[in-house]
Amino acid sequence: MYPPGVTDIELRHLAAMAAIADEGSFGRAAARLGYTQSTVSQQIAALERTVGGPVFDRPGGPKPVRITPLGAVVLEHGRDLLARAEKLADAVDRFKAGGGRIDIGTFQSVSNVILPVVVCRLREEQPDCDIRLFEEEPDQPRISDLDLLFYDGRIDGDVESAKLLDDPYLLVCGNDAFPDGPVQLAQLDDAPMVAWPLTCDQPLMEQALAHNGARPRVVFRSAINETLLSMVRAGMGSAVLPWLAIRGANVESDRQLRVHELCPALPVREIYLHWRAGRTQSPLATRAIEIAVEVAAELSGARRA
Amino acid sequence: MYPPGVTDIELRHLAAMAAIADEGSFGRAAARLGYTQSTVSQQIAALERTVGGPVFDRPGGPKPVRITPLGAVVLEHGRDLLARAEKLADAVDRFKAGGGRIDIGTFQSVSNVILPVVVCRLREEQPDCDIRLFEEEPDQPRISDLDLLFYDGRIDGDVESAKLLDDPYLLVCGNDAFPDGPVQLAQLDDAPMVAWPLTCDQPLMEQALAHNGARPRVVFRSAINETLLSMVRAGMGSAVLPWLAIRGANVESDRQLRVHELCPALPVREIYLHWRAGRTQSPLATRAIEIAVEVAAELSGARRA
DNA sequence: AAACGTCCATCGCGAAAAGCGATGGTTTGC
DNA sequence: GCAAACCATCGCTTTTCGCGATGGACGTTT
């Protein structure tokens, strides 16, 4: 792979060489490096052994040592090598401080409500970090190549997860569709309704509706919440949406719309944050999980209030 | 100078890491590197100690190990570091094979006769070498910053030298100025003459002329040999030039000019090659000295023939 | 000229580390 | 379950690292 001898080069020796070149003396270089003069002398001897020739001329006496032509070649590349090593150390430090890149998979309502806050706080703590979001959603959520994945449900495979919050379904309808207070599920039977496409938790929710004797007529499907709500305002029908989506669209302050709890309540949609099991996380990912849990808890509290 | 820890990085460990990343297994990497599996395991452990975290996830069993986010950071820079180290080794090899740069100081006739051959042979052996020639000639020849210096005389200071050849002075004159055979120095007294400027050996030569009762009238001085010879052809006067200069200008095949030995002969001009004492030479410089001596010897032989 | 100061090389020693072989624990696949 | 593949760990030997002390070389000073 690498030619023999390449890995015999020691950065310590190159650092000693650079210090000597700067100071003009083995002894002063040793002092600067925190070594003994004899140690530095041996380090240079070792370096000269590996490169196969002297790198300094030692005139003897108080004259400063001078670099040889071979030494100049070694030093030129050596300084470069040391600079690169320093860059490596810097990169590691930045990484451990939370820098670096993180790839997060997300979906619909999480993108609208939770994620903005998470990203914001993360960037506050780590202005230089590189956060990449992915919302492509094939039928199966893809966690390979992602560090973190938000999803409303569990995922099979070698995955760990944190439950972020319970997201109950609520009814959004026109101002005068129902009187204040909870709405009986049965009242939704055969009612016109707009809804999300049948991905994620949506099929489960509709089954639960049906199981409770509510078979609404779905007159329109869209993944865009704003579109759905416009349809509700237009009187096309009502919508059963999770609380997160409702909050994300500021429905509560919309005088044309009203939100009702459902009775009996549908099974809540559960929001999870997933990551691959058995893999060491980056500090950035670890922190992102913590922040996501925090944010979710705050949201949960806000909902109950 | 360098932050602590930078010089603790070992190229050996990075090489092991790269091999593992390629092979997906500590054992195979060990085989490739010529180490034992346990050794590689410890190398990675050491690396992980210096960077402060795991660089590989070991799933256990026949699954390939996988790099961690931290490991990815380290590996990215590590490969770079290894590539640079390889460049260093390459540069050293090239240098030892005679590559690299050489700075040569020269003057007038050496530039014309000796140096072209030396440079030619050197470049034949080392096509990639970087030969730089300097002909600036302040009153004092400057050997600092030069690897090699041609000069017609000795130099004071900490300098070693090789005598290349004796370069006798000869008389160049018009076809019919003197009969064939040696010319008595006395015959040059008050004769019109063109000559070099009073640098290098020229003052010494003119003193020697005077000392032998010949005080020619110098009617023109120029450092350009061709100019001087044109003047001789034009009948302005004759010229006392060293053999090297005469050969460099192809005087011998010029039917308008004739070359005479002088009687008694003037002290020869001695051509030396100098280099700073007590300094390790580059192989290229060493070889250049050898070649220069060879070329000078050939020229010496050619002259005597 | 002799004494001094500065400098690097070298020697001996103790501590640390590298590398090896053998062993043991884990996980996967049959 | 059993076998196979894999990595971690332990004990051991050999090598290396770094130190302090000493000595030789050179230039400067007296």
Side-chain angles (χ1 to χ4, degrees), chain A residues 24-28 37-38 41-42 58 61-63 65:
Chain A
S25 138
F26 282 40
R28 279 191 297 278
Q37 171 265 320
S38 91
S41 182
Q42 288 184 74
R58 292 85 153 165
K63 278 190 183 173
V65 296

Side-chain angles (χ1 to χ4, degrees), chain B residues 26-28 38 41 58:
Chain B
F26 283 39
R28 279 193 297 279
S38 91
S41 182
R58 293 84 153 165

Side-chain angles (χ1 to χ4, degrees), chain B residues 90-142:
Chain B
D90 282 356
V92 168
D93 284 348
R94 274 201 309 276
F95 175 88
K96 290 204 284 191
R101 163 175 295 175
I102 184 171
D103 291 345
I104 304 177
T106 176
F107 68 98
Q108 305 191 340
S109 27
V110 166
S111 304
N112 287 337
V113 182
I114 300 181
L115 205 46
V117 186
V118 174
V119 167
C120 188
R121 295 201 189 163
L122 207 52
R123 295 207 60 121
E124 240 168 54
E125 294 180 13
Q126 289 299 330
D128 290 334
C129 72
D130 179 13
I131 305 172
R132 301 196 300 184
L133 302 180
F134 297 86
E135 202 170 326
E136 334 125 21
E137 192 158 351
D139 287 347
Q140 287 300 84
R142 301 223 140 205

